[in-house]
Amino acid sequence: KELRRLRLQVHDEILGECPLEQAPEAGDELARVMVEQMSVVAPNIVHEAEPFLMERWTKGAETKRDANGRLCL
């Protein structure tokens, strides 16, 4: 789960970069940390974060998972 580089933060999105083979776990971990930390800042609100993988950023990306529940491109 190695997120090599945070590239950009825009409002409630964080774009990161890591080796492709580690991307599914890194994406899920980043989403988990985002929810965990927002729960500290605003504990009375339900927080969600949907990770998604892409080779190039595009607006409107959606979370895709394989049959085992692992993030995929």
Side-chain angles (χ1 to χ4, degrees), residues 64-72:
K64 296 178 190 169
R65 295 188 181 272
D66 65 15
N68 297 316
R70 191 169 191 245
L71 277 173
C72 57

Side-chain angles (χ1 to χ4, degrees), residues 34-51:
M34 289 174 66
V35 169
E36 178 182 276
Q37 293 306 306
M38 281 306 299
S39 295
V40 171
V41 175
N44 297 325
I45 298 173
V46 175
H47 302 282
E48 296 178 359
E50 291 186 40

Side-chain angles (χ1 to χ4, degrees), residues 9-45:
Q9 178 187 357
V10 180
H11 303 287
D12 62 347
E13 294 184 15
I14 297 176
L15 281 66
E17 180 179 293
C18 70
L20 186 58
E21 62 274 3
Q22 296 175 1
E25 291 76 20
D28 281 333
E29 179 67 6
L30 182 56
R32 185 193 68 74
V33 170
M34 289 174 66
V35 169
E36 178 182 276
Q37 293 306 306
M38 281 306 299
S39 295
V40 171
V41 175
N44 297 325
I45 298 173

